[in-house]
C-alpha cells in the first residue's frame, strides 16, 4: 500500500501591483544595452546602473564594466554611462575634459530635483535636502551646487538643529526614494520652523516609490508575512519593508533571490504579501514565488492600487538607429 502524499499547507499570496521596475530603471538598463549594441563591448558604467546585483551581473555578462570613479576608465574611446541615481556636476566636467563619450542615464525625476536645487540657489535661498546620508542619489544632488550650499537633514531632530534664522530665505528638495510618511514628518518640521520655506511644485518623491508604498499599505495589515524583492542597498526596497512593518505586518523581509528567504518567518503563516522594489526585475519575483510554491499550495491574488504608463526617452546619442 502506497503512502499518502503529504499535502502542502495552503498559502494565500497577495501580489502588489504596481511592483518592480519603474520607468527610470527601465530607461537606465536600456541605455547600457543600447550602448553595447551600438558601440560594442566594453561599455563602462560609473557605479551600479541601478541598485540590484542581479541586474548588474547580467549587464556584466553582456560586456558592461562597472567602475567607482572615472579614473578607472581608459582613454580608449569606450563610452561611459552615469547611473540612474545621478552624479555630482564634477563628474561630467571631468568626462568632458578627458573627451570621454559620456552617456547620462540619470532618471529624469532625479534630474528634476537637481534643477530645483539649482533654481533655489540662484534665487539666493539656502537649500535643504531631505535624504539619507551617503546614498548615491544624495551625493549626486548635493554635488550640483558648490560645497556647503546644500544642507542634508534626515529627521525632525536634524531640522531642529538647523542654525538658520526663521526669516532666512530657504527651500527644500527631497531624495526621490524616501518613505512618503518619513519625508512628510521632516517636511512638516521644516514648515513649522520656517513658515516661508519654498518647496517643490510637485512632490519630489517619484511616482513609482509612492505607488509601491501605497500598494504595500493596502495589503500589509491583511497578511501574516511580507516578502519585498530587492537588493539590501536599494533605498526604495528598504522603505517598502519598513512600510510593511509600520502598517501591521511584523514578519517582513527583504530578499534578493530565493536562496535569501528566511523560511522561519513563514512558519505557520496563512497569508503572504509580495512586492518588488523599483530596481528588481519580475523574473526574481517569479523565482521567489516558485520557491515558496514548493513548500505551500499557493492561491495568488493580485491587488492593484494604481496603473502606471510612464516612459522616458533614451538620450539623443542612442536614439539613432542601432545596427
Amino acid at each position: 500500500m502506497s503512502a499518502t502524499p503529504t499535502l502542502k499547507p495552503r498559502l494565500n499570496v497577495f501580489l502588489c501591483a504596481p511592483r518592480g521596475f519603474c520607468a527610470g530603471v527601465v530607461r537606465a538598463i536600456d541605455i547600457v544595452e543600447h550602448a553595447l549594441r551600438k558601440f560594442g563591448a566594453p561599455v563602462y558604467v560609473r557605479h551600479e546602473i541601478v541598485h540590484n546585483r542581479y541586474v548588474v551581473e547580467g549587464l556584466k555578462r553582456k560586456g558592461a564594466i562597472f567602475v567607482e570613479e572615472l579614473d578607472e576608465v581608459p582613454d580608449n574611446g569606450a563610452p561611459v554611462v552615469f547611473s540612474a541615481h545621478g552624479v555630482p556636476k564634477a563628474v561630467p566636467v571631468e568626462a568632458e575634459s578627458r573627451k570621454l563619450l559620456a552617456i547620462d542615464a540619470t532618471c529624469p525625476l532625479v534630474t528634476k530635483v537637481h534643477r530645483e536645487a539649482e533654481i533655489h540657489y540662484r534665487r539666493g535661498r539656502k537649500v535643504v535636502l531631505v535624504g539619507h546620508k551617503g546614498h548615491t542619489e544624495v551625493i549626486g544632488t548635493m554635488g550640483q551646487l558648490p560645497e556647503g550650499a546644500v544642507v542634508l537633514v534626515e529627521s525632525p531632530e536634524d531640522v531642529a538643529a538647523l542654525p538658520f534664522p526663521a526669516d532666512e530665505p530657504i527651500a527644500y528638495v527631497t531624495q526621490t526614494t524616501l518613505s512618503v510618511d518619513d519625508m512628510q514628518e521632516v517636511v512638516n518640521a521644516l514648515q513649522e520652523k520656517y513658515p516661508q520655506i519654498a518647496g517643490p511644485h510637485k512632490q519630489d518623491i517619484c511616482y513609482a516609490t509612492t505607488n509601491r508604498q501605497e500598494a504595500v499599505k493596502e495589503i500589509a495589515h491583511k497578511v501574516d508575512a511580507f516578502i519585498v524583492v530587492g537588493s539590501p542597498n536599494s533605498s526604495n526596497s528598504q522603505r517598502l519593508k519598513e512600510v510593511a512593518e509600520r502598517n501591521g505586518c511584523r514578519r517582513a523581509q527583504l530578499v534578493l533571490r530565493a536562496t535569501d528567504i528566511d523560511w522561519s518567518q513563514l512558519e505557520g503563516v496563512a497569508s503572504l504579501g509580495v512586492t518588488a522594489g523599483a530596481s528588481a526585475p519580475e523574473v526574481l519575483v517569479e523565482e521567489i514565488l516558485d520557491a515558496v510554491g514548493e513548500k505551500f499550495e499557493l492561491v495568488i491574488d493580485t491587488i492593484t492600487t494604481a496603473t502606471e504608463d510612464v516612459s522616458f526617452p533614451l538620450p539623443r546619442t542612442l536614439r539613432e538607429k542601432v545596427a
Side-chain angles (χ1 to χ4, degrees):
M1 185 175 180
S2 61
T4 304
T6 303
L7 294 177
K8 293 187 287 188
R10 175 187 171 113
L11 181 64
N12 293 311
V13 177
F14 297 94
L15 270 178
C16 291
R19 64 181 178 275
F21 279 177
C22 63
V25 165
V26 170
R27 176 179 181 267
I29 296 169
D30 282 351
I31 284 172
V32 178
E33 293 183 335
H34 274 70
L36 284 164
R37 288 197 292 271
K38 182 169 184 176
F39 303 108
V43 166
Y44 291 87
V45 185
R46 185 184 180 276
H47 290 321
E48 292 187 347
I49 186 68
V50 296
H51 282 159
N52 188 279
R53 192 167 67 247
Y54 177 89
V55 171
V56 168
E57 292 300 326
L59 292 173
K60 282 182 180 179
R61 289 192 293 272
K62 295 178 181 179
I65 297 176
F66 290 83
V67 300
E68 286 302 305
E69 298 298 343
L70 291 187
D71 58 15
E72 300 172 59
V73 179
D75 295 315
N76 62 2
V80 57
V81 178
F82 303 149
S83 81
H85 312 97
V87 296
K89 270 192 172 178
V91 174
V93 169
E94 180 187 347
E96 186 176 2
S97 71
R98 290 181 53 197
K99 296 182 169 51
L100 299 176
L101 176 55
I103 303 171
D104 190 0
T106 301
C107 174
L109 299 180
V110 174
T111 300
K112 164 188 171 286
V113 177
H114 292 178
R115 300 292 83 81
E116 288 171 348
E118 288 180 316
I119 290 169
H120 290 312
Y121 180 72
R122 286 202 302 270
R123 291 178 177 172
R125 297 174 178 141
K126 299 289 186 183
V127 179
V128 175
L129 170 61
V130 183
H132 294 299
K133 184 178 181 180
H135 188 274
T136 312
E137 182 186 328
V138 166
I139 293 169
T141 299
M142 296 184 76
Q144 299 306 302
L145 298 178
E147 188 172 351
V150 181
V151 178
L152 178 67
V153 295
E154 299 186 80
S155 65
E157 290 74 25
D158 290 345
V159 173
L162 288 174
F164 313 126
D167 58 352
E168 180 89 28
I170 190 170
Y172 76 88
V173 295
T174 81
Q175 184 180 334
T176 64
T177 54
L178 297 176
S179 157
V180 175
D181 296 333
D182 284 350
M183 178 277 297
Q184 196 56 56
E185 280 186 18
V186 180
V187 169
N188 288 345
L190 282 167
Q191 290 172 334
E192 183 176 346
K193 186 169 183 177
Y194 303 103
Q196 303 304 315
I197 194 169
H201 294 296
K202 186 179 180 183
Q203 179 176 284
D204 287 336
I205 293 181
C206 84
Y207 76 95
T209 297
T210 301
N211 289 347
R212 280 148 191 72
Q213 289 180 21
E214 288 301 317
V216 169
K217 287 179 182 179
E218 180 69 22
I219 293 173
H221 65 282
K222 303 175 183 177
V223 296
D224 302 319
F226 221 107
I227 290 178
V228 177
V229 185
S231 286
N233 64 335
S234 165
S235 174
N236 76 85
S237 299
Q238 288 282 7
R239 303 295 81 76
L240 291 174
K241 175 178 178 287
E242 292 170 4
V243 169
E245 291 168 339
R246 290 180 183 181
N247 285 271
C249 185
R250 294 185 179 180
R251 296 192 192 184
Q253 55 181 305
L254 173 62
V255 300
L256 177 62
R257 305 294 300 268
T259 51
D260 302 320
I261 296 173
D262 178 358
W263 293 105
S264 68
Q265 293 292 306
L266 300 185
E267 290 179 4
V269 303
S271 55
L272 174 69
V274 177
T275 191
S279 50
E282 185 65 13
V283 65
L284 295 186
V285 176
E286 294 168 359
E287 174 186 293
I288 283 163
L289 287 176
D290 287 344
V292 176
E294 291 178 6
K295 298 178 181 290
F296 296 89
E297 188 67 39
L298 304 186
V299 179
I300 298 177
D301 189 12
T302 298
I303 307 299
T304 303
T305 55
T307 302
E308 296 177 351
D309 57 2
V310 179
S311 63
F312 299 126
L314 293 173
R316 189 174 291 108
T317 316
L318 298 175
R319 284 185 220 161
E320 302 161 9
K321 187 176 180 181
V322 177

